[in-house]
């Protein structure tokens, strides 16, 4: 079929999904750098636990960046790969000069909330396109991140 991709999706759907995935990728990249910065710069009484936790988070985010980029490639498109594109496309803003542990945790909660919202939109779009691969990816991320938001909000009190 001329109107389908190598994995059997309608080309128009694949185009739309790849565009949404590139937006998600940009947000993940900015968020990754924010969390990396929190890890490097956190100070205060909870330094040791937060420093370790932030490393766990940014390591997971780096894996997700790669998975999202590979999904874009699977759909037959090119992932964004310039930081200038990430800054232009992302809803998550760079978070600079944050040292306070609670402010770092709040930054993570806000970033995750943005990612969850984007992934819900992606999940809906993928479901409509009968794209189980993208839907599964988004669903897995949402489930995991909702729990993390709950835990971090419990930490913040």
């Amino acid at each position: 079929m001329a109107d389908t991709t190598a994995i059997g999706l309608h080309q128009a759907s694949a185009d739309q999904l790849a565009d949404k995935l590139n937006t998600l990728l940009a947000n993940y990249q900015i968020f990754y750098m924010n969390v990396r910065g929190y890890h490097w710069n956190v100070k205060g009484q909870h330094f040791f636990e937060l420093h370790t936790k932030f490393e766990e988070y940014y390591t997971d985010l780096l894996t997700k960046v790669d998975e999202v980029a590979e999904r874009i490639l699977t759909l037959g498109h090119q992932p964004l790969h310039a930081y200038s594109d990430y800054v232009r496309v992302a809803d998550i803003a760079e978070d600079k000069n944050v040292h306070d542990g609670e402010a770092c945790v709040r930054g993570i909660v806000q970033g995750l909330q943005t990612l969850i919202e984007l992934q819900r939109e992606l999940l809906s779009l993928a479901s409509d396109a009968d794209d189980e691969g993208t839907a599964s990816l988004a669903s897995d991320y949402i489930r995991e991140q909702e729990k993390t938001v709950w835990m971090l909000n419990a930490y913040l009190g």
Side-chain angles (χ1 to χ4, degrees):
M1 296 176 143
D3 190 30
T4 60
T5 66
I7 60 172
L9 296 176
H10 292 286
Q11 188 63 54
S13 294
D15 296 347
Q16 194 175 21
L17 286 159
D19 185 54
K20 184 63 85 173
L21 282 161
N22 262 316
T23 299
L24 183 63
L25 177 63
N27 279 279
Y28 265 109
Q29 288 283 48
I30 299 293
F31 187 49
Y32 166 80
M33 289 305 299
N34 286 350
V35 176
R36 191 83 193 236
Y38 301 153
H39 168 76
W40 289 333
N41 296 303
V42 67
K43 296 179 180 168
Q45 121 184 56
H46 299 288
F47 168 81
F48 289 106
E49 69 185 283
L50 292 177
H51 182 75
T52 300
K53 185 53 79 174
F54 295 161
E55 183 174 6
E56 177 186 319
Y57 289 155
Y58 78 68
T59 300
D60 177 67
L61 289 167
L62 192 55
T63 298
K64 285 177 171 58
V65 162
D66 194 53
E67 290 171 349
V68 170
E70 288 177 352
R71 188 65 195 166
I72 294 165
L73 290 163
T74 300
L75 293 171
H77 288 265
Q78 182 175 346
L80 296 176
H81 60 276
Y83 202 76
S84 57
D85 288 333
Y86 300 146
V87 170
R88 179 179 51 80
V89 171
D91 298 306
I92 296 174
E94 293 175 308
D95 202 3
K96 300 177 184 177
N97 301 316
V98 180
H99 306 282
D100 175 71
E102 283 191 23
C104 294
V105 172
R106 281 191 303 276
I108 292 173
V109 168
Q110 290 168 353
L112 288 172
Q113 288 169 331
T114 299
L115 292 174
I116 290 167
E117 181 180 329
L118 291 169
Q119 290 161 167
R120 284 187 180 132
E121 293 170 11
L122 181 62
L123 179 60
S124 177
L125 190 63
S127 295
D128 291 345
D130 208 21
D131 177 5
E132 178 60 31
T134 302
S136 177
L137 188 78
S139 179
D140 289 349
Y141 291 176
I142 291 166
R143 179 187 40 78
E144 175 189 321
Q145 292 164 350
E146 285 175 339
K147 183 175 180 179
T148 302
V149 166
W150 161 66
M151 295 171 108
L152 291 174
N153 278 325
Y155 175 86
L156 291 170

